[in-house]
Structures are given as structure tokens and as C-alpha cells.
Amino acid sequence: MAWFIPLIVLLTLALIAYLREKRQRRTRPVSGGKQSGVHLPYEKDIELYANPFSHCSRKVTLAMEEYGLDYAYHNVHLIETGWYETISRAFLAVNPSGLLPVLVHKGAPVYESDDILLYLETLTDKQSIIPHDAAGRKAMKEWIEFCSVSSHDPMAAMDTQAGACVPALTLPIFATMISDIDIRHILTGFLFHPDKVRPMFFLSAKLLGLGGILKTGPAGGLIGRGRDAMLGHMETINTALKQGGGPWILGDQFSLADISLASIYLRLDETGWLEWFMGQSDLHAIAVHYAQLKARPSWQKAIEEKQLDIVKSGRQRLLNLVQNSPAIRRKLYGS
Ligand SMILES: N[C@@H](CCC(=O)N[C@@H](CS)C(=O)NCC(=O)O)C(=O)O
């Protein structure tokens, strides 16, 4: 009987430690824009907390490079690229919502990538990449919103926003990247991440592989919806590029709208979707637009130099699976 008591004490202590840790890692929504009342420690006037694989981080990094800003880059892991660093205590002190990216300007955080994009103009004397006229500004904001991912319900607006299709279309590469991640890191998500569906998806992908999750569960349906909606969005972008006369989405003015689209193209490219969409429809204007974006010096610094090995190997694995498995091809492309 006496052996029983230390066991109960031990379990109670473990439970108390877990609940305390859980409380400290609780996330809460934040509003976008600069938080002037918050003062974080900083080494450089401008710091960016981001992840090179995150769509929202890429937009901001590209814009910062376009402006030629001098900044410190803090690489924060997502579970897909390493571990749940976004819900570590250290990162939650920077952003209590546990989301990337965050710009920190002289210690004041700026939240939400689209707000950060607009805020960057205040940090530079360089020529703005925001149109000066009201109509151009409005059009640019509409494109930015079109490429946005909501913090509340990322996939809700698939029919109207290209950004909302991104999470669904990223699921296949998530599934191939996750095989490089230690299962213990995934389990952390069940303990501390507010969204339990995602660790469930990652665990299934780790155990069953891409073929397995496409056969059972909701992934196949979500991907199909994202694919069909995104094809329509690509046609919309292509038509706008043609009608505007290029070379940019707003005509001859390069802007944050192009940067937001660049990040969408990249995600579709690295996941094999871009090639597939090109085979479904005439997207020549997009092909030219994308090539021009990749040729800019900002692309080299924000994208090429920050590439992660885990993304490269996940991409290769995905391409191999697509090539070698008719069942996976059928599920992904419906043919
Ligand atoms: N609306 C937000 C969305 C931010 C967002 O969803 N960030 C993702 C990476 S792209 C993230 O940090 N995810 C971490 C998680 O959900 O645990 C923005 O544009 O900044």
C-alpha cells in the first residue's frame, strides 16, 4: 500500500507542473498594427520574427528587402519546420497570439502581416512601394487582402481569397515535411497548442503518410476545394495582369500587391500546384509576372538565401510521391 503514495504524489506534482506550464503558454488574440504600449527588449531598431516557410512571413521579408532595411531576422520555428516554437514562452512574450510574423520597431511590436507591410513605409526614406493616388492605394489593398490568411479562420474564405486556399494547398507538403519531425514535438501540440486539429493532422501524416491521409479523413476534401477555388483565382490574376498591361499587377507601379502575389506563386510552385494550374489554363501572364518577381534582388535575399533544408527535402519527397503514385495523383488532381 505504501508504494502507492509516492506514485500519487509524483502524478499530482506532474499535473501541477503541466497546468502551470499550460497557463503560461495560453495564447490570446491580438489586434493588428503597432502596439505602442508594449516594450520588448531589442538589439536592433528593426527586428523581424519570422519563418522562411511561412507565407505571411515571406511577404514581409520581401518588402523589407525591397526597402533595403537593416534589420535582425529571428527565425522562429513552426511545427512543420522543426518544433512548436510559436507557442514557446519566449515567443509568446513577443506575440501572445503565437502567430508569425512580428515586426519589432524600437521595442514596439507590430502584428498582422498586412499591417506590417503598410507600416514598413514609415521606416524608410526610399521610394515607397505604395501608390500615391487613392485609387492605386485602394486597388493595392484589395490585392493584399486577396492574398491574406485570416488569423481566426484561415480557410474560411477560399471562394473569394487566394490566401485562404494556401493552407489547404500546403497540406501535401506539410505531410511530407512532417516525416523529418520527431513525434515528441508533434505531441507538444496536443498539450499546449490551442488548435488540436492540426497536431491530429500532423500525427496522422507522420503515421500514415500522404497516401494514408488522402484516403481517410478530411484532407482530400479540403485540398480539392482549395485546388478548384485557386484555379479560378489564378485565372482572375492572369486576366488582371493582361488587362493592366503589366509589368506589375497595378500596371507600371511595382507595389506591395506584387509582393503578396509573389508569396502565393512561390507556395504554389514549391508544392507542384503551379505547374498543374499552368497545365489547366492559359496563365502566361502569371508566368511572366512570377519570373520578373524572382529576378528582383529582394527575392535572392528574402527567399533564396533563407531556404530551409526541410522544405527542400519535403518538396522532393512530394514530387516523387506524385510521380510514382497514381492514387495520390488522382486524389490531388482529380484525374
Ligand atoms: N493574419 C495573420 C496570419 C498569421 C499566421 O497564420 N501565421 C502562421 C504562419 S503563416 C503561424 O504563425 N502559425 C503558427 C500556428 O498556427 O501555430 C497574418 O497575416 O500575420
Side-chain angles (χ1 to χ4, degrees):
M1 182 69 183
W3 64 267
F4 204 66
I5 294 168
L7 184 67
I8 292 189
V9 171
L10 212 67
L11 286 175
T12 311
L13 288 176
L15 183 66
I16 291 171
Y18 165 64
L19 291 175
R20 180 180 294 166
E21 183 68 16
K22 192 170 159 65
R23 200 175 57 229
Q24 283 177 335
R25 297 222 212 165
R26 191 170 295 151
T27 58
R28 64 174 168 79
V30 291
S31 46
K34 186 175 183 183
Q35 314 293 309
S36 299
V38 180
H39 304 284
L40 299 171
Y42 63 97
E43 287 157 24
K44 274 195 132 152
D45 281 2
I46 306 171
E47 305 199 354
L48 181 68
Y49 291 78
N51 180 289
F53 181 61
S54 130
H55 163 64
C56 308
S57 300
R58 284 169 169 172
K59 293 185 289 187
V60 170
T61 316
L62 276 167
M64 290 175 81
E65 294 297 343
E66 282 290 337
Y67 281 129
L69 295 173
D70 177 26
Y71 62 100
Y73 186 94
H74 299 284
N75 187 355
V76 180
H77 273 293
L78 299 163
I79 179 62
E80 303 87 1
T81 65
W83 59 288
Y84 275 107
E85 192 173 359
T86 44
I87 46 165
S88 63
R89 284 197 240 163
F91 182 68
L92 290 173
V94 176
N95 185 355
S97 76
L99 293 176
L100 292 166
V102 178
L103 180 84
V104 176
H105 180 209
K106 295 188 177 168
V110 187
Y111 300 137
E112 286 288 331
S113 60
D114 297 349
D115 292 312
I116 301 174
L117 285 178
L118 297 175
Y119 182 81
L120 292 176
E121 194 189 22
T122 66
L123 303 177
T124 177
D125 298 331
K126 267 195 148 183
Q127 199 196 348
S128 173
I129 43 177
I130 298 179
H132 293 302
D133 62 304
R137 222 177 152 91
K138 181 168 174 283
M140 181 194 76
K141 284 190 178 169
E142 282 168 6
W143 282 113
I144 293 179
E145 198 180 330
F146 179 69
C147 299
S148 243
V149 178
S150 153
S151 298
H152 313 290
D153 193 349
M155 293 194 247
M158 284 206 242
D159 292 339
T160 51
Q161 287 184 358
C165 302
V166 163
L169 296 178
T170 309
L171 291 176
I173 199 170
F174 277 167
T176 55
M177 285 164 66
I178 210 75
S179 57
D180 285 338
I181 304 293
D182 193 304
I183 202 156
R184 282 170 308 169
H185 291 316
I186 302 174
L187 297 180
T188 314
F190 287 109
L191 296 178
F192 301 114
H193 199 281
D195 178 359
K196 307 294 181 216
V197 175
R198 293 181 61 212
M200 182 60 89
F201 167 79
F202 293 132
L203 189 63
S204 319
K206 174 104 187 149
L207 299 174
L208 307 174
L210 177 59
I213 58 153
L214 289 176
K215 240 185 265 161
T216 53
L222 282 173
I223 294 169
R225 271 184 57 210
R227 175 197 64 215
D228 296 346
M230 186 61 106
L231 180 57
H233 298 322
M234 294 296 272
E235 285 165 347
T236 304
I237 301 167
N238 198 70
T239 305
L241 282 166
K242 278 204 307 210
Q243 285 174 350
W248 309 114
I249 193 75
L250 301 181
D252 52 15
Q253 157 96 61
F254 177 79
S255 75
L256 294 170
D258 298 290
I259 286 174
S260 301
L261 288 166
S263 183
I264 297 271
Y265 300 157
L266 171 58
R267 173 52 45 88
L268 299 179
D269 190 5
E270 70 197 344
T271 47
W273 289 110
L274 190 62
E275 201 187 335
W276 187 78
F277 288 136
M278 297 277 179
Q280 303 302 302
S281 197
D282 174 12
L283 300 176
H284 179 70
I286 287 187
V288 174
H289 190 213
Y290 185 35
Q292 280 164 334
L293 289 160
K294 289 206 288 185
R296 294 179 78 87
S298 60
W299 188 272
Q300 182 62 28
K301 293 202 161 132
I303 307 297
E304 295 295 337
E305 289 174 18
K306 292 191 167 45
Q307 272 199 53
L308 298 173
D309 285 344
I310 191 166
V311 181
K312 286 189 218 157
S313 49
R315 175 177 203 275
Q316 196 49 55
R317 241 176 258 135
L318 175 60
L319 295 183
N320 291 346
L321 282 170
V322 166
Q323 227 163 44
N324 299 324
S325 164
I328 289 183
R329 269 204 308 278
R330 238 187 343 269
K331 285 279 181 189
L332 290 180
Y333 305 128
S335 58

